[in-house]
Amino acid sequence: LKGTLICLFGSTLTALGLVLQKKSHTQDGSNGEAGAANGHESYFLHKWWLLGFGVFVSAQVINMVSMAMTPQVILSCLGSWTLVCNTVFAHLILGERVCRSQAIA
């Protein structure tokens, strides 16, 4: 049970980290190297991107710990939890709309 809960926590942080990185890209409005060539700061130097990357990497370490504690057969069933968290975080942090069919799915 402990490994399962740790996996859910890690999966939640994975989704949060990716959404924070997307927030950085959305705020910047540029596309990486093309933005840097035009005088814009590189995307990987933005605070939201760095925070998101740090959260994502930490989540992967947490997920590795959960894999050592619980059989992967059980943890593989929890993969869809990341999608649920991604949808919720995208709505709350990025203001993305969630239509009814997405919410039901």
Side-chain angles (χ1 to χ4, degrees):
L1 179 68
K2 190 183 278 188
T4 303
L5 294 175
I6 291 172
C7 179
L8 288 173
F9 179 66
S11 296
T12 302
L13 289 180
T14 296
L16 178 61
L18 292 173
V19 168
L20 291 175
Q21 286 181 311
K22 184 174 179 182
K23 180 179 176 78
S24 173
H25 289 293
T26 303
Q27 284 181 343
D28 182 30
S30 69
N31 57 356
E33 293 179 19
N38 294 330
H40 293 283
E41 186 177 1
S42 296
Y43 69 89
F44 55 85
L45 297 176
H46 292 179
K47 65 178 181 176
W48 284 114
W49 193 90
L50 288 170
L51 178 64
F53 185 72
V55 169
F56 178 81
V57 170
S58 300
Q60 298 312 305
V61 172
I62 291 169
N63 282 334
M64 282 192 328
V65 170
S66 73
M67 286 184 201
M69 298 174 68
T70 308
Q72 289 185 14
V73 172
I74 295 171
L75 298 181
S76 65
C77 300
L78 303 175
S80 60
W81 177 249
T82 304
L83 296 173
V84 172
C85 293
N86 192 23
T87 303
V88 171
F89 289 141
H91 175 71
L92 295 175
I93 296 172
L94 302 173
E96 293 185 5
R97 300 179 90 191
V98 179
C99 64
R100 183 179 302 237
S101 61
Q102 289 174 329
I104 292 171

PDB file of all heavy atoms in Angstrom, residues 23-64:
ATOM      1  N   LYS A  23       3.700  26.139 -18.866  1.00  0.00           N
ATOM      2  CA  LYS A  23       3.398  27.523 -18.471  1.00  0.00           C
ATOM      3  C   LYS A  23       4.533  28.443 -18.894  1.00  0.00           C
ATOM      4  O   LYS A  23       4.301  29.538 -19.395  1.00  0.00           O
ATOM      5  CB  LYS A  23       3.176  27.600 -16.957  1.00  0.00           C
ATOM      6  CG  LYS A  23       2.865  28.996 -16.449  1.00  0.00           C
ATOM      7  CD  LYS A  23       2.646  28.963 -14.948  1.00  0.00           C
ATOM      8  CE  LYS A  23       2.433  30.350 -14.400  1.00  0.00           C
ATOM      9  NZ  LYS A  23       1.100  30.858 -14.629  1.00  0.00           N
ATOM     10  N   SER A  24       5.753  27.993 -18.716  1.00  0.00           N
ATOM     11  CA  SER A  24       6.905  28.784 -19.128  1.00  0.00           C
ATOM     12  C   SER A  24       6.892  29.022 -20.629  1.00  0.00           C
ATOM     13  O   SER A  24       7.105  30.140 -21.094  1.00  0.00           O
ATOM     14  CB  SER A  24       8.199  28.079 -18.717  1.00  0.00           C
ATOM     15  OG  SER A  24       9.325  28.758 -19.242  1.00  0.00           O
ATOM     16  N   HIS A  25       6.625  27.974 -21.399  1.00  0.00           N
ATOM     17  CA  HIS A  25       6.589  28.103 -22.855  1.00  0.00           C
ATOM     18  C   HIS A  25       5.448  29.020 -23.293  1.00  0.00           C
ATOM     19  O   HIS A  25       5.598  29.806 -24.222  1.00  0.00           O
ATOM     20  CB  HIS A  25       6.427  26.735 -23.523  1.00  0.00           C
ATOM     21  CG  HIS A  25       7.656  25.891 -23.425  1.00  0.00           C
ATOM     22  ND1 HIS A  25       8.833  26.200 -24.059  1.00  0.00           N
ATOM     23  CD2 HIS A  25       7.889  24.733 -22.766  1.00  0.00           C
ATOM     24  CE1 HIS A  25       9.744  25.280 -23.790  1.00  0.00           C
ATOM     25  NE2 HIS A  25       9.196  24.379 -23.006  1.00  0.00           N
ATOM     26  N   THR A  26       4.323  28.929 -22.622  1.00  0.00           N
ATOM     27  CA  THR A  26       3.163  29.749 -22.963  1.00  0.00           C
ATOM     28  C   THR A  26       3.435  31.222 -22.662  1.00  0.00           C
ATOM     29  O   THR A  26       3.100  32.097 -23.456  1.00  0.00           O
ATOM     30  CB  THR A  26       1.926  29.279 -22.182  1.00  0.00           C
ATOM     31  OG1 THR A  26       1.706  27.899 -22.460  1.00  0.00           O
ATOM     32  CG2 THR A  26       0.695  30.066 -22.565  1.00  0.00           C
ATOM     33  N   GLN A  27       4.047  31.492 -21.523  1.00  0.00           N
ATOM     34  CA  GLN A  27       4.356  32.876 -21.154  1.00  0.00           C
ATOM     35  C   GLN A  27       5.403  33.479 -22.074  1.00  0.00           C
ATOM     36  O   GLN A  27       5.336  34.656 -22.415  1.00  0.00           O
ATOM     37  CB  GLN A  27       4.850  32.947 -19.714  1.00  0.00           C
ATOM     38  CG  GLN A  27       3.770  32.812 -18.694  1.00  0.00           C
ATOM     39  CD  GLN A  27       4.317  32.918 -17.271  1.00  0.00           C
ATOM     40  OE1 GLN A  27       5.514  32.793 -17.038  1.00  0.00           O
ATOM     41  NE2 GLN A  27       3.418  33.135 -16.326  1.00  0.00           N
ATOM     42  N   ASP A  28       6.367  32.668 -22.480  1.00  0.00           N
ATOM     43  CA  ASP A  28       7.460  33.157 -23.311  1.00  0.00           C
ATOM     44  C   ASP A  28       6.954  33.514 -24.707  1.00  0.00           C
ATOM     45  O   ASP A  28       7.309  34.546 -25.254  1.00  0.00           O
ATOM     46  CB  ASP A  28       8.569  32.114 -23.372  1.00  0.00           C
ATOM     47  CG  ASP A  28       9.757  32.572 -24.184  1.00  0.00           C
ATOM     48  OD1 ASP A  28      10.017  33.789 -24.226  1.00  0.00           O
ATOM     49  OD2 ASP A  28      10.426  31.726 -24.780  1.00  0.00           O
ATOM     50  N   GLY A  29       6.157  32.622 -25.285  1.00  0.00           N
ATOM     51  CA  GLY A  29       5.631  32.876 -26.619  1.00  0.00           C
ATOM     52  C   GLY A  29       6.634  32.601 -27.724  1.00  0.00           C
ATOM     53  O   GLY A  29       6.302  32.678 -28.895  1.00  0.00           O
ATOM     54  N   SER A  30       7.873  32.295 -27.375  1.00  0.00           N
ATOM     55  CA  SER A  30       8.861  31.976 -28.401  1.00  0.00           C
ATOM     56  C   SER A  30       9.062  30.479 -28.449  1.00  0.00           C
ATOM     57  O   SER A  30       8.580  29.737 -27.613  1.00  0.00           O
ATOM     58  CB  SER A  30      10.190  32.670 -28.094  1.00  0.00           C
ATOM     59  OG  SER A  30      10.784  32.103 -26.950  1.00  0.00           O
ATOM     60  N   ASN A  31       9.789  30.020 -29.445  1.00  0.00           N
ATOM     61  CA  ASN A  31      10.002  28.586 -29.583  1.00  0.00           C
ATOM     62  C   ASN A  31      11.477  28.234 -29.458  1.00  0.00           C
ATOM     63  O   ASN A  31      12.125  27.852 -30.412  1.00  0.00           O
ATOM     64  CB  ASN A  31       9.424  28.069 -30.904  1.00  0.00           C
ATOM     65  CG  ASN A  31       9.997  28.780 -32.107  1.00  0.00           C
ATOM     66  OD1 ASN A  31      10.781  29.711 -31.963  1.00  0.00           O
ATOM     67  ND2 ASN A  31       9.620  28.351 -33.284  1.00  0.00           N
ATOM     68  N   GLY A  32      12.001  28.390 -28.250  1.00  0.00           N
ATOM     69  CA  GLY A  32      13.347  27.910 -27.935  1.00  0.00           C
ATOM     70  C   GLY A  32      14.455  28.673 -28.623  1.00  0.00           C
ATOM     71  O   GLY A  32      14.647  29.849 -28.380  1.00  0.00           O
ATOM     72  N   GLU A  33      15.179  28.005 -29.512  1.00  0.00           N
ATOM     73  CA  GLU A  33      16.361  28.587 -30.127  1.00  0.00           C
ATOM     74  C   GLU A  33      16.021  29.775 -31.015  1.00  0.00           C
ATOM     75  O   GLU A  33      16.772  30.729 -31.103  1.00  0.00           O
ATOM     76  CB  GLU A  33      17.107  27.520 -30.920  1.00  0.00           C
ATOM     77  CG  GLU A  33      17.712  26.460 -30.031  1.00  0.00           C
ATOM     78  CD  GLU A  33      18.424  25.396 -30.830  1.00  0.00           C
ATOM     79  OE1 GLU A  33      18.756  25.638 -31.999  1.00  0.00           O
ATOM     80  OE2 GLU A  33      18.649  24.310 -30.276  1.00  0.00           O
ATOM     81  N   ALA A  34      14.871  29.718 -31.691  1.00  0.00           N
ATOM     82  CA  ALA A  34      14.483  30.858 -32.523  1.00  0.00           C
ATOM     83  C   ALA A  34      14.288  32.092 -31.649  1.00  0.00           C
ATOM     84  O   ALA A  34      14.649  33.205 -32.030  1.00  0.00           O
ATOM     85  CB  ALA A  34      13.203  30.537 -33.290  1.00  0.00           C
ATOM     86  N   GLY A  35      13.712  31.890 -30.448  1.00  0.00           N
ATOM     87  CA  GLY A  35      13.540  32.993 -29.519  1.00  0.00           C
ATOM     88  C   GLY A  35      14.875  33.516 -29.027  1.00  0.00           C
ATOM     89  O   GLY A  35      15.072  34.718 -28.886  1.00  0.00           O
ATOM     90  N   ALA A  36      15.821  32.614 -28.751  1.00  0.00           N
ATOM     91  CA  ALA A  36      17.131  33.030 -28.278  1.00  0.00           C
ATOM     92  C   ALA A  36      17.876  33.809 -29.358  1.00  0.00           C
ATOM     93  O   ALA A  36      18.584  34.764 -29.070  1.00  0.00           O
ATOM     94  CB  ALA A  36      17.942  31.805 -27.844  1.00  0.00           C
ATOM     95  N   ALA A  37      17.691  33.432 -30.628  1.00  0.00           N
ATOM     96  CA  ALA A  37      18.347  34.130 -31.725  1.00  0.00           C
ATOM     97  C   ALA A  37      17.794  35.543 -31.892  1.00  0.00           C
ATOM     98  O   ALA A  37      18.495  36.429 -32.362  1.00  0.00           O
ATOM     99  CB  ALA A  37      18.174  33.339 -33.029  1.00  0.00           C
ATOM    100  N   ASN A  38      16.566  35.764 -31.489  1.00  0.00           N
ATOM    101  CA  ASN A  38      15.946  37.084 -31.605  1.00  0.00           C
ATOM    102  C   ASN A  38      16.171  37.937 -30.363  1.00  0.00           C
ATOM    103  O   ASN A  38      15.482  38.928 -30.171  1.00  0.00           O
ATOM    104  CB  ASN A  38      14.436  36.939 -31.859  1.00  0.00           C
ATOM    105  CG  ASN A  38      14.155  36.309 -33.205  1.00  0.00           C
ATOM    106  OD1 ASN A  38      14.935  36.470 -34.135  1.00  0.00           O
ATOM    107  ND2 ASN A  38      13.055  35.596 -33.304  1.00  0.00           N
ATOM    108  N   GLY A  39      17.059  37.551 -29.478  1.00  0.00           N
ATOM    109  CA  GLY A  39      17.349  38.334 -28.290  1.00  0.00           C
ATOM    110  C   GLY A  39      16.564  37.896 -27.068  1.00  0.00           C
ATOM    111  O   GLY A  39      16.713  38.483 -26.010  1.00  0.00           O
ATOM    112  N   HIS A  40      15.713  36.886 -27.193  1.00  0.00           N
ATOM    113  CA  HIS A  40      14.958  36.396 -26.044  1.00  0.00           C
ATOM    114  C   HIS A  40      15.822  35.425 -25.248  1.00  0.00           C
ATOM    115  O   HIS A  40      16.699  34.761 -25.782  1.00  0.00           O
ATOM    116  CB  HIS A  40      13.685  35.657 -26.495  1.00  0.00           C
ATOM    117  CG  HIS A  40      12.691  36.551 -27.142  1.00  0.00           C
ATOM    118  ND1 HIS A  40      11.879  37.398 -26.434  1.00  0.00           N
ATOM    119  CD2 HIS A  40      12.369  36.726 -28.445  1.00  0.00           C
ATOM    120  CE1 HIS A  40      11.099  38.050 -27.256  1.00  0.00           C
ATOM    121  NE2 HIS A  40      11.379  37.670 -28.505  1.00  0.00           N
ATOM    122  N   GLU A  41      15.533  35.350 -23.986  1.00  0.00           N
ATOM    123  CA  GLU A  41      16.228  34.415 -23.106  1.00  0.00           C
ATOM    124  C   GLU A  41      15.838  32.975 -23.470  1.00  0.00           C
ATOM    125  O   GLU A  41      14.702  32.708 -23.838  1.00  0.00           O
ATOM    126  CB  GLU A  41      15.810  34.724 -21.673  1.00  0.00           C
ATOM    127  CG  GLU A  41      16.535  33.950 -20.624  1.00  0.00           C
ATOM    128  CD  GLU A  41      16.091  34.378 -19.225  1.00  0.00           C
ATOM    129  OE1 GLU A  41      15.222  35.248 -19.101  1.00  0.00           O
ATOM    130  OE2 GLU A  41      16.619  33.804 -18.274  1.00  0.00           O
ATOM    131  N   SER A  42      16.763  32.041 -23.369  1.00  0.00           N
ATOM    132  CA  SER A  42      16.464  30.644 -23.655  1.00  0.00           C
ATOM    133  C   SER A  42      15.413  30.120 -22.690  1.00  0.00           C
ATOM    134  O   SER A  42      15.397  30.493 -21.517  1.00  0.00           O
ATOM    135  CB  SER A  42      17.720  29.786 -23.533  1.00  0.00           C
ATOM    136  OG  SER A  42      18.665  30.185 -24.502  1.00  0.00           O
ATOM    137  N   TYR A  43      14.541  29.242 -23.188  1.00  0.00           N
ATOM    138  CA  TYR A  43      13.425  28.755 -22.371  1.00  0.00           C
ATOM    139  C   TYR A  43      13.896  28.045 -21.115  1.00  0.00           C
ATOM    140  O   TYR A  43      13.248  28.123 -20.080  1.00  0.00           O
ATOM    141  CB  TYR A  43      12.508  27.843 -23.199  1.00  0.00           C
ATOM    142  CG  TYR A  43      13.120  26.522 -23.572  1.00  0.00           C
ATOM    143  CD1 TYR A  43      12.996  25.420 -22.742  1.00  0.00           C
ATOM    144  CD2 TYR A  43      13.829  26.367 -24.751  1.00  0.00           C
ATOM    145  CE1 TYR A  43      13.569  24.212 -23.065  1.00  0.00           C
ATOM    146  CE2 TYR A  43      14.392  25.159 -25.089  1.00  0.00           C
ATOM    147  CZ  TYR A  43      14.259  24.090 -24.250  1.00  0.00           C
ATOM    148  OH  TYR A  43      14.818  22.890 -24.572  1.00  0.00           O
ATOM    149  N   PHE A  44      15.024  27.352 -21.168  1.00  0.00           N
ATOM    150  CA  PHE A  44      15.465  26.585 -20.013  1.00  0.00           C
ATOM    151  C   PHE A  44      16.086  27.457 -18.921  1.00  0.00           C
ATOM    152  O   PHE A  44      16.511  26.939 -17.896  1.00  0.00           O
ATOM    153  CB  PHE A  44      16.425  25.459 -20.413  1.00  0.00           C
ATOM    154  CG  PHE A  44      17.629  25.917 -21.187  1.00  0.00           C
ATOM    155  CD1 PHE A  44      18.748  26.384 -20.540  1.00  0.00           C
ATOM    156  CD2 PHE A  44      17.624  25.869 -22.574  1.00  0.00           C
ATOM    157  CE1 PHE A  44      19.851  26.812 -21.242  1.00  0.00           C
ATOM    158  CE2 PHE A  44      18.726  26.286 -23.291  1.00  0.00           C
ATOM    159  CZ  PHE A  44      19.840  26.763 -22.625  1.00  0.00           C
ATOM    160  N   LEU A  45      16.104  28.751 -19.118  1.00  0.00           N
ATOM    161  CA  LEU A  45      16.567  29.670 -18.078  1.00  0.00           C
ATOM    162  C   LEU A  45      15.410  30.352 -17.361  1.00  0.00           C
ATOM    163  O   LEU A  45      15.631  31.105 -16.413  1.00  0.00           O
ATOM    164  CB  LEU A  45      17.495  30.728 -18.681  1.00  0.00           C
ATOM    165  CG  LEU A  45      18.788  30.194 -19.304  1.00  0.00           C
ATOM    166  CD1 LEU A  45      19.575  31.321 -19.948  1.00  0.00           C
ATOM    167  CD2 LEU A  45      19.629  29.470 -18.262  1.00  0.00           C
ATOM    168  N   HIS A  46      14.176  30.114 -17.794  1.00  0.00           N
ATOM    169  CA  HIS A  46      13.007  30.736 -17.167  1.00  0.00           C
ATOM    170  C   HIS A  46      12.685  30.033 -15.853  1.00  0.00           C
ATOM    171  O   HIS A  46      12.808  28.814 -15.732  1.00  0.00           O
ATOM    172  CB  HIS A  46      11.803  30.677 -18.095  1.00  0.00           C
ATOM    173  CG  HIS A  46      11.966  31.530 -19.304  1.00  0.00           C
ATOM    174  ND1 HIS A  46      11.021  31.616 -20.277  1.00  0.00           N
ATOM    175  CD2 HIS A  46      12.970  32.349 -19.711  1.00  0.00           C
ATOM    176  CE1 HIS A  46      11.416  32.442 -21.217  1.00  0.00           C
ATOM    177  NE2 HIS A  46      12.603  32.894 -20.894  1.00  0.00           N
ATOM    178  N   LYS A  47      12.235  30.818 -14.887  1.00  0.00           N
ATOM    179  CA  LYS A  47      11.994  30.269 -13.546  1.00  0.00           C
ATOM    180  C   LYS A  47      10.911  29.191 -13.552  1.00  0.00           C
ATOM    181  O   LYS A  47      11.043  28.189 -12.858  1.00  0.00           O
ATOM    182  CB  LYS A  47      11.655  31.372 -12.555  1.00  0.00           C
ATOM    183  CG  LYS A  47      10.355  32.085 -12.834  1.00  0.00           C
ATOM    184  CD  LYS A  47      10.057  33.129 -11.788  1.00  0.00           C
ATOM    185  CE  LYS A  47       8.732  33.803 -12.109  1.00  0.00           C
ATOM    186  NZ  LYS A  47       8.331  34.739 -11.098  1.00  0.00           N
ATOM    187  N   TRP A  48       9.827  29.372 -14.331  1.00  0.00           N
ATOM    188  CA  TRP A  48       8.764  28.363 -14.352  1.00  0.00           C
ATOM    189  C   TRP A  48       9.252  27.069 -14.992  1.00  0.00           C
ATOM    190  O   TRP A  48       8.891  25.980 -14.566  1.00  0.00           O
ATOM    191  CB  TRP A  48       7.523  28.871 -15.088  1.00  0.00           C
ATOM    192  CG  TRP A  48       6.726  29.842 -14.291  1.00  0.00           C
ATOM    193  CD1 TRP A  48       6.538  31.166 -14.565  1.00  0.00           C
ATOM    194  CD2 TRP A  48       6.039  29.590 -13.065  1.00  0.00           C
ATOM    195  NE1 TRP A  48       5.772  31.743 -13.601  1.00  0.00           N
ATOM    196  CE2 TRP A  48       5.446  30.802 -12.660  1.00  0.00           C
ATOM    197  CE3 TRP A  48       5.860  28.469 -12.269  1.00  0.00           C
ATOM    198  CZ2 TRP A  48       4.682  30.908 -11.503  1.00  0.00           C
ATOM    199  CZ3 TRP A  48       5.103  28.576 -11.120  1.00  0.00           C
ATOM    200  CH2 TRP A  48       4.531  29.777 -10.749  1.00  0.00           C
ATOM    201  N   TRP A  49      10.090  27.179 -16.030  1.00  0.00           N
ATOM    202  CA  TRP A  49      10.597  25.975 -16.684  1.00  0.00           C
ATOM    203  C   TRP A  49      11.534  25.231 -15.738  1.00  0.00           C
ATOM    204  O   TRP A  49      11.452  24.003 -15.608  1.00  0.00           O
ATOM    205  CB  TRP A  49      11.328  26.321 -17.981  1.00  0.00           C
ATOM    206  CG  TRP A  49      11.578  25.108 -18.811  1.00  0.00           C
ATOM    207  CD1 TRP A  49      10.767  24.581 -19.771  1.00  0.00           C
ATOM    208  CD2 TRP A  49      12.709  24.229 -18.732  1.00  0.00           C
ATOM    209  NE1 TRP A  49      11.321  23.434 -20.287  1.00  0.00           N
ATOM    210  CE2 TRP A  49      12.517  23.201 -19.675  1.00  0.00           C
ATOM    211  CE3 TRP A  49      13.859  24.212 -17.956  1.00  0.00           C
ATOM    212  CZ2 TRP A  49      13.436  22.170 -19.857  1.00  0.00           C
ATOM    213  CZ3 TRP A  49      14.771  23.183 -18.132  1.00  0.00           C
ATOM    214  CH2 TRP A  49      14.555  22.183 -19.072  1.00  0.00           C
ATOM    215  N   LEU A  50      12.414  25.958 -15.064  1.00  0.00           N
ATOM    216  CA  LEU A  50      13.346  25.324 -14.122  1.00  0.00           C
ATOM    217  C   LEU A  50      12.603  24.670 -12.955  1.00  0.00           C
ATOM    218  O   LEU A  50      12.944  23.555 -12.545  1.00  0.00           O
ATOM    219  CB  LEU A  50      14.361  26.341 -13.599  1.00  0.00           C
ATOM    220  CG  LEU A  50      15.421  26.785 -14.598  1.00  0.00           C
ATOM    221  CD1 LEU A  50      16.208  27.963 -14.045  1.00  0.00           C
ATOM    222  CD2 LEU A  50      16.341  25.631 -14.934  1.00  0.00           C
ATOM    223  N   LEU A  51      11.590  25.364 -12.439  1.00  0.00           N
ATOM    224  CA  LEU A  51      10.796  24.783 -11.362  1.00  0.00           C
ATOM    225  C   LEU A  51      10.092  23.516 -11.843  1.00  0.00           C
ATOM    226  O   LEU A  51      10.113  22.487 -11.159  1.00  0.00           O
ATOM    227  CB  LEU A  51       9.775  25.807 -10.849  1.00  0.00           C
ATOM    228  CG  LEU A  51       8.833  25.310  -9.755  1.00  0.00           C
ATOM    229  CD1 LEU A  51       9.618  24.959  -8.492  1.00  0.00           C
ATOM    230  CD2 LEU A  51       7.780  26.362  -9.455  1.00  0.00           C
ATOM    231  N   GLY A  52       9.484  23.586 -13.012  1.00  0.00           N
ATOM    232  CA  GLY A  52       8.808  22.418 -13.574  1.00  0.00           C
ATOM    233  C   GLY A  52       9.756  21.257 -13.805  1.00  0.00           C
ATOM    234  O   GLY A  52       9.435  20.106 -13.522  1.00  0.00           O
ATOM    235  N   PHE A  53      10.950  21.561 -14.310  1.00  0.00           N
ATOM    236  CA  PHE A  53      11.940  20.510 -14.541  1.00  0.00           C
ATOM    237  C   PHE A  53      12.381  19.877 -13.231  1.00  0.00           C
ATOM    238  O   PHE A  53      12.513  18.655 -13.125  1.00  0.00           O
ATOM    239  CB  PHE A  53      13.148  21.086 -15.300  1.00  0.00           C
ATOM    240  CG  PHE A  53      14.162  20.056 -15.676  1.00  0.00           C
ATOM    241  CD1 PHE A  53      13.897  19.134 -16.677  1.00  0.00           C
ATOM    242  CD2 PHE A  53      15.381  19.995 -15.027  1.00  0.00           C
ATOM    243  CE1 PHE A  53      14.833  18.175 -17.028  1.00  0.00           C
ATOM    244  CE2 PHE A  53      16.317  19.041 -15.364  1.00  0.00           C
ATOM    245  CZ  PHE A  53      16.049  18.129 -16.377  1.00  0.00           C
ATOM    246  N   GLY A  54      12.594  20.711 -12.212  1.00  0.00           N
ATOM    247  CA  GLY A  54      12.984  20.189 -10.901  1.00  0.00           C
ATOM    248  C   GLY A  54      11.908  19.300 -10.293  1.00  0.00           C
ATOM    249  O   GLY A  54      12.198  18.238  -9.742  1.00  0.00           O
ATOM    250  N   VAL A  55      10.652  19.728 -10.422  1.00  0.00           N
ATOM    251  CA  VAL A  55       9.530  18.923  -9.908  1.00  0.00           C
ATOM    252  C   VAL A  55       9.442  17.614 -10.680  1.00  0.00           C
ATOM    253  O   VAL A  55       9.259  16.540 -10.098  1.00  0.00           O
ATOM    254  CB  VAL A  55       8.205  19.717  -9.995  1.00  0.00           C
ATOM    255  CG1 VAL A  55       7.010  18.830  -9.722  1.00  0.00           C
ATOM    256  CG2 VAL A  55       8.229  20.886  -9.033  1.00  0.00           C
ATOM    257  N   PHE A  56       9.601  17.673 -12.011  1.00  0.00           N
ATOM    258  CA  PHE A  56       9.527  16.477 -12.846  1.00  0.00           C
ATOM    259  C   PHE A  56      10.627  15.480 -12.486  1.00  0.00           C
ATOM    260  O   PHE A  56      10.362  14.278 -12.319  1.00  0.00           O
ATOM    261  CB  PHE A  56       9.627  16.863 -14.326  1.00  0.00           C
ATOM    262  CG  PHE A  56       9.596  15.696 -15.253  1.00  0.00           C
ATOM    263  CD1 PHE A  56       8.397  15.101 -15.604  1.00  0.00           C
ATOM    264  CD2 PHE A  56      10.761  15.166 -15.772  1.00  0.00           C
ATOM    265  CE1 PHE A  56       8.359  14.010 -16.464  1.00  0.00           C
ATOM    266  CE2 PHE A  56      10.743  14.081 -16.625  1.00  0.00           C
ATOM    267  CZ  PHE A  56       9.528  13.504 -16.965  1.00  0.00           C
ATOM    268  N   VAL A  57      11.852  15.948 -12.347  1.00  0.00           N
ATOM    269  CA  VAL A  57      12.970  15.050 -12.013  1.00  0.00           C
ATOM    270  C   VAL A  57      12.770  14.446 -10.629  1.00  0.00           C
ATOM    271  O   VAL A  57      12.988  13.244 -10.417  1.00  0.00           O
ATOM    272  CB  VAL A  57      14.323  15.790 -12.128  1.00  0.00           C
ATOM    273  CG1 VAL A  57      15.458  14.970 -11.550  1.00  0.00           C
ATOM    274  CG2 VAL A  57      14.608  16.139 -13.577  1.00  0.00           C
ATOM    275  N   SER A  58      12.335  15.261  -9.681  1.00  0.00           N
ATOM    276  CA  SER A  58      12.058  14.748  -8.331  1.00  0.00           C
ATOM    277  C   SER A  58      10.976  13.676  -8.370  1.00  0.00           C
ATOM    278  O   SER A  58      11.072  12.662  -7.671  1.00  0.00           O
ATOM    279  CB  SER A  58      11.605  15.888  -7.417  1.00  0.00           C
ATOM    280  OG  SER A  58      12.597  16.866  -7.318  1.00  0.00           O
ATOM    281  N   ALA A  59       9.960  13.902  -9.189  1.00  0.00           N
ATOM    282  CA  ALA A  59       8.875  12.930  -9.310  1.00  0.00           C
ATOM    283  C   ALA A  59       9.373  11.605  -9.874  1.00  0.00           C
ATOM    284  O   ALA A  59       8.918  10.530  -9.452  1.00  0.00           O
ATOM    285  CB  ALA A  59       7.766  13.491 -10.206  1.00  0.00           C
ATOM    286  N   GLN A  60      10.322  11.663 -10.790  1.00  0.00           N
ATOM    287  CA  GLN A  60      10.850  10.425 -11.358  1.00  0.00           C
ATOM    288  C   GLN A  60      11.647   9.634 -10.323  1.00  0.00           C
ATOM    289  O   GLN A  60      11.602   8.398 -10.300  1.00  0.00           O
ATOM    290  CB  GLN A  60      11.696  10.727 -12.604  1.00  0.00           C
ATOM    291  CG  GLN A  60      10.910  11.383 -13.719  1.00  0.00           C
ATOM    292  CD  GLN A  60       9.591  10.685 -14.005  1.00  0.00           C
ATOM    293  OE1 GLN A  60       9.539   9.490 -14.258  1.00  0.00           O
ATOM    294  NE2 GLN A  60       8.505  11.438 -13.929  1.00  0.00           N
ATOM    295  N   VAL A  61      12.349  10.348  -9.449  1.00  0.00           N
ATOM    296  CA  VAL A  61      13.071   9.671  -8.353  1.00  0.00           C
ATOM    297  C   VAL A  61      12.070   9.021  -7.407  1.00  0.00           C
ATOM    298  O   VAL A  61      12.240   7.867  -6.985  1.00  0.00           O
ATOM    299  CB  VAL A  61      13.991  10.664  -7.619  1.00  0.00           C
ATOM    300  CG1 VAL A  61      14.582  10.038  -6.371  1.00  0.00           C
ATOM    301  CG2 VAL A  61      15.089  11.168  -8.549  1.00  0.00           C
ATOM    302  N   ILE A  62      10.999   9.732  -7.094  1.00  0.00           N
ATOM    303  CA  ILE A  62       9.951   9.185  -6.231  1.00  0.00           C
ATOM    304  C   ILE A  62       9.324   7.950  -6.879  1.00  0.00           C
ATOM    305  O   ILE A  62       9.070   6.940  -6.206  1.00  0.00           O
ATOM    306  CB  ILE A  62       8.892  10.263  -5.923  1.00  0.00           C
ATOM    307  CG1 ILE A  62       9.505  11.331  -5.023  1.00  0.00           C
ATOM    308  CG2 ILE A  62       7.645   9.664  -5.296  1.00  0.00           C
ATOM    309  CD1 ILE A  62       8.655  12.575  -4.864  1.00  0.00           C
ATOM    310  N   ASN A  63       9.089   8.007  -8.180  1.00  0.00           N
ATOM    311  CA  ASN A  63       8.519   6.851  -8.878  1.00  0.00           C
ATOM    312  C   ASN A  63       9.471   5.656  -8.860  1.00  0.00           C
ATOM    313  O   ASN A  63       9.024   4.507  -8.777  1.00  0.00           O
ATOM    314  CB  ASN A  63       8.141   7.215 -10.314  1.00  0.00           C
ATOM    315  CG  ASN A  63       6.839   7.982 -10.386  1.00  0.00           C
ATOM    316  OD1 ASN A  63       5.983   7.852  -9.519  1.00  0.00           O
ATOM    317  ND2 ASN A  63       6.691   8.786 -11.415  1.00  0.00           N
ATOM    318  N   MET A  64      10.772   5.913  -8.935  1.00  0.00           N
ATOM    319  CA  MET A  64      11.732   4.798  -8.855  1.00  0.00           C
ATOM    320  C   MET A  64      11.664   4.129  -7.489  1.00  0.00           C
ATOM    321  O   MET A  64      11.738   2.906  -7.383  1.00  0.00           O
ATOM    322  CB  MET A  64      13.159   5.289  -9.128  1.00  0.00           C
ATOM    323  CG  MET A  64      13.443   5.499 -10.580  1.00  0.00           C
ATOM    324  SD  MET A  64      15.187   5.743 -11.016  1.00  0.00           S
ATOM    325  CE  MET A  64      15.906   6.568  -9.646  1.00  0.00           C
TER     326      MET A  64
END
